[in-house]
Amino acid sequence: MELTRKTILEDEDYLRQISIPVDFNDEKLSEEIEALKDYCLETECFALAAIQVGIPKRIVCIKQTTEEDSDEEITRDDLKVLINPEIISRKGNTKYWEACLSCLDLTGCVNRPYEMLISYQDEEGNYHEKTISGFEATVYSHEFDHLDGILHMDIADYVIEMTTEERKEFRQTHPYEIIDKDKEYQRPSQNKRYVR
Ligand SMILES: [Zn+2]
C-alpha cells in the first residue's frame, strides 16, 4: 500500500484532525502497520505517527530514541509500534529543538516532560505500561501529540526555519537540555499557532 507524506504546506487541516482509536478487528490494520514500518525505516526520522502518512488512526512507530545516531543500523525488529497510547502521568521539563516530517524546515524549541508513565497496546492488542524518560520521552511526547492534531510548532517557545544541514549544526550548540526532573510539567500553551 502506498503511503503519502502529509505536510503543513498542503494538508494542515488533515494533520490537525484527531486520530481515531484503533479497532483490532480492523482488517486493514496489519497492512497499515507494515506500511508504516516500511516508511519509517526508509525515512530519516526519529519516529512517525500514522496520521503523518495518511492513516488517521492512533498508531505510532518509534525508530530512534537517542539524540545521536547509533553506528548500528536500525532494523525492522528495532521498530516499536504503540497502538492507542495514553499518557498516565508526566513530570519534569526539558527543551529540544525539534523537527518534524510534516512541518518541513520549521524547527521548534519545545518543552517536553522529562518522564512519562504511558500505557499502550502492542500489535497483538496486549496492554502494556511503561515509564520512559529523557530524550525518549521527548520523542514519544511529540508523536502522541500528532494523534491529537498538535504539531511541535503549535507549542514551541520559538520556531526557526532551517534546512536539515543547518539544523544538524545548530543542534551541536543547542542540544537536548534537562531543565528539571521532578517538578510539575509546564505544558506550553497551544495558542502560538505559527503564521506563515
Ligand atoms: Zn512530527
Side-chain angles (χ1 to χ4, degrees):
M1 85 184 276
E2 198 66 39
L3 299 180
T4 322
R5 175 159 76 129
K6 303 286 183 185
T7 73
I8 50 168
L9 206 58
E10 306 277 346
D11 322 284
E12 182 159 357
D13 288 341
Y14 184 91
L15 286 163
R16 291 189 181 287
Q17 69 181 293
I18 301 201
S19 295
I20 56 164
V22 168
D23 171 358
F24 280 85
N25 296 317
D26 182 345
E27 283 173 10
K28 277 159 65 185
L29 182 61
S30 55
E31 190 193 349
E32 287 170 339
I33 289 173
E34 294 314 311
L36 186 61
K37 285 180 179 174
D38 288 337
Y39 197 99
C40 201
L41 276 177
E42 289 161 10
T43 310
E44 196 178 326
C45 64
F46 287 110
L48 261 188
I51 182 83
Q52 294 182 272
V53 286
I55 305 168
K57 298 177 184 173
R58 301 187 84 81
I59 309 170
V60 156
C61 184
I62 307 281
K63 183 167 82 176
Q64 183 184 331
T65 53
T66 54
E67 196 178 352
E68 302 296 332
D69 293 340
S70 154
D71 291 337
E72 281 173 47
E73 202 191 333
I74 295 168
T75 68
R76 199 175 190 81
D77 288 342
D78 297 323
L79 300 178
K80 194 159 175 51
V81 173
L82 289 86
I83 297 171
N84 299 330
E86 303 272 358
I87 298 170
I88 299 168
S89 64
R90 55 192 179 183
K91 65 178 181 178
N93 295 274
T94 70
K95 284 202 188 305
Y96 186 61
W97 285 88
E98 299 182 5
C100 176
L101 271 189
S102 306
C103 303
L104 310 169
D105 288 335
L106 297 181
T107 306
C109 184
V110 185
N111 181 354
R112 300 279 180 191
Y114 171 73
E115 190 176 289
M116 299 196 295
L117 173 61
I118 62 164
S119 67
Y120 63 94
Q121 286 170 275
D122 61 26
E123 292 169 59
E124 281 78 45
N126 302 312
Y127 284 90
H128 302 270
E129 264 188 31
K130 189 180 169 189
T131 298
I132 45 175
S133 60
F135 191 75
E136 193 169 20
T138 288
V139 176
Y140 280 63
S141 171
H142 176 118
E143 299 310 327
F144 292 179
D145 271 354
H146 273 301
L147 304 181
D148 293 325
I150 299 164
L151 303 171
H152 75 326
M153 61 191 198
D154 302 341
I155 56 167
D157 291 334
Y158 312 97
V159 175
I160 303 177
E161 206 160 349
M162 52 181 113
T163 63
T164 307
E165 283 312 308
E166 287 167 343
R167 185 164 47 246
K168 278 182 181 163
E169 200 171 319
F170 186 82
R171 282 175 175 161
Q172 298 295 315
T173 48
H174 300 78
Y176 172 74
E177 187 187 343
I178 297 167
I179 312 296
D180 57 73
K181 293 185 177 181
D182 281 309
K183 288 188 184 150
E184 191 182 335
Y185 171 53
Q186 305 294 320
R187 176 73 174 171
S189 65
Q190 226 171 287
N191 54 12
K192 296 174 198 142
R193 186 164 175 157
Y194 184 77
V195 181
R196 287 191 300 285

